[in-house]
């Protein structure tokens, strides 16, 4: 069996196979991300919301922006990540209740539901509102491999797959979310899109789990943080006789 691989590593959280992330070139909030964070700070002040006790918290907040410009909260399936950053997560949800400038995605001329992601670093959000909210973020790097680190991750993932056990001629796509911890470990893998073949999906899960090289962790303002990644694995199997 001949197998062709296409790999994509995306630094954001995917909701499900039925809902897309926000399209490139469009913003989920009227006025853009700057307006979102500016309103965020105003709401903190107006509602007298208290800062987080742990200044190290950092949370990647996702919401579903509906076609009618309302939002729906997305359940976080990474419980350990959520627990470690609960104040930041609760802060984002509380503020979102007062935000009213949501901007639906437009795909092929039609308003569509789409997932929007915001980086919540409370330490900066509670600082002087006159200053721009600009946390300095560096992203995880696999095995300290520099700019080409993702190709090395892809090779390791491919080596962990045993597709010879499966015989069909088709394309499949699997989406996985995982956390790169501040210690550089890949943990808490969740398959958010599956093939529907339980044995195959289990193999994919353990292929991620067996990528045992360390990552250089993400940082915010020089401070290591847990970071949520989404990985889209797409491949075509071609049977040769």
């Amino acid at each position: 069996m001949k197998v062709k691989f296409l790999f994509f590593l995306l630094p954001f959280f995917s909701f499900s196979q039925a809902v897309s992330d926000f399209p490139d070139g469009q913003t989920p909030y009227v006025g853009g991300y700057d307006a979102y964070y500016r309103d965020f700070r105003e709401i903190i002040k107006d509602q007298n919301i208290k800062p987080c006790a742990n200044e190290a918290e950092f949370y990647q907040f996702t919401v579903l922006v509906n076609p009618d410009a309302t939002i729906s909260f997305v359940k976080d399936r990474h419980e350990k990540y959520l627990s470690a950053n609960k104040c930041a997560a609760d802060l984002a949800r509380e503020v979102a209740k007062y935000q009213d400038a949501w901007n639906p995605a437009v795909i092929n001329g039609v308003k569509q539901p789409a997932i929007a992601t915001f980086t919540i670093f409370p330490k900066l959000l509670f600082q002087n509102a006159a200053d721009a909210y600009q946390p300095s973020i560096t992203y995880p790097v696999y095995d300290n491999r520099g700019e080409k680190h993702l190709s090395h991750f892809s090779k390791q993932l491919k080596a962990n797959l045993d597709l010879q056990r499966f015989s069909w001629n088709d394309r499949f796509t699997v989406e996985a979310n995982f956390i790169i911890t501040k210690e550089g470990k890949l943990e808490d893998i969740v398959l958010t899109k599956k093939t529907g073949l339980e044995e195959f999906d289990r193999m994919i899960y353990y292929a991620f789990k067996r990528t045992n090289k360390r990552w250089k962790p993400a940082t915010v303002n020089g401070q290591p943080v847990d970071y949520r990644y989404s990985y889209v694995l797409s491949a075509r199997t071609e049977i040769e006789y």
Side-chain angles (χ1 to χ4, degrees):
M1 181 171 63
K2 180 182 177 183
V3 183
K4 295 180 179 179
F5 288 91
L6 298 172
F7 292 92
F8 305 94
L9 184 60
L10 309 175
F12 49 77
F13 176 55
S14 297
F15 176 63
S16 75
Q17 64 191 78
V19 181
S20 299
D21 295 289
F22 230 82
D24 292 339
Q26 298 185 34
T27 56
Y29 202 80
V30 175
Y33 290 94
D34 287 345
Y36 169 85
Y37 293 113
R38 184 170 57 249
D39 287 357
F40 198 111
R41 285 171 148 178
E42 287 297 324
I43 292 167
I44 285 176
K45 180 180 178 181
D46 292 345
Q47 300 300 320
N48 194 29
I49 299 175
K50 303 302 180 185
C52 295
N54 181 7
E55 291 188 341
E57 289 196 21
F58 170 78
Y59 187 69
Q60 290 154 279
F61 176 55
T62 57
V63 292
L64 176 66
V65 181
N66 299 305
D68 63 357
T70 62
I71 60 169
S72 300
F73 293 130
V74 177
K75 181 180 179 180
D76 197 322
R77 298 172 64 182
H78 296 97
E79 294 183 3
K80 184 178 178 181
Y81 173 73
L82 175 62
S83 177
N85 300 282
K86 189 173 186 305
C87 180
D90 289 346
L91 171 66
R93 286 191 172 220
E94 180 63 22
V95 168
K97 297 176 183 178
Y98 300 96
Q99 290 173 310
D100 57 5
W102 301 104
N103 189 36
V106 178
I107 302 173
N108 296 326
V110 179
K111 293 181 179 179
Q112 301 282 353
I115 290 294
T117 303
F118 304 92
T119 57
I120 306 301
F121 188 43
K123 181 178 179 179
L124 288 187
L125 287 165
F126 279 91
Q127 290 181 0
N128 189 349
D131 298 331
Y133 175 72
Q134 293 178 333
S136 177
I137 301 174
T138 66
Y139 301 104
V141 176
Y142 180 66
D143 196 26
N144 201 28
R145 293 281 187 161
E147 292 183 0
K148 296 183 178 181
H149 71 108
L150 296 186
S151 65
H152 290 278
F153 181 74
S154 297
K155 289 178 182 177
Q156 178 64 69
L157 185 63
K158 178 181 178 180
N160 292 343
L161 296 173
D162 182 14
L163 293 176
Q164 299 299 324
R165 296 188 292 120
F166 302 90
S167 298
W168 80 94
N169 187 3
D170 201 359
R171 176 180 292 279
F172 65 85
T173 299
V174 176
E175 295 179 5
N177 288 313
F178 49 84
I179 303 297
I180 303 300
T181 71
K182 59 177 66 72
E183 294 78 27
K185 298 179 181 179
L186 188 157
E187 294 184 350
D188 203 4
I189 304 158
V190 177
L191 298 187
T192 54
K193 180 178 181 179
K194 302 180 180 181
T195 65
L197 181 60
E198 184 176 353
E199 184 179 359
F200 187 87
D201 292 332
R202 186 183 303 114
M203 179 191 65
I204 295 290
Y205 174 86
Y206 281 102
F208 281 100
K209 197 172 182 66
R210 289 196 299 270
T211 54
N212 54 12
K213 299 291 186 179
R214 292 289 181 128
W215 293 68
K216 182 179 180 181
T219 66
V220 177
N221 290 8
Q223 173 182 298
V225 296
D226 294 338
Y227 197 87
R228 192 202 319 262
Y229 257 85
S230 178
Y231 191 101
V232 181
L233 168 63
S234 181
R236 179 184 296 278
T237 57
E238 295 180 356
I239 302 174
E240 290 187 346
Y241 298 97

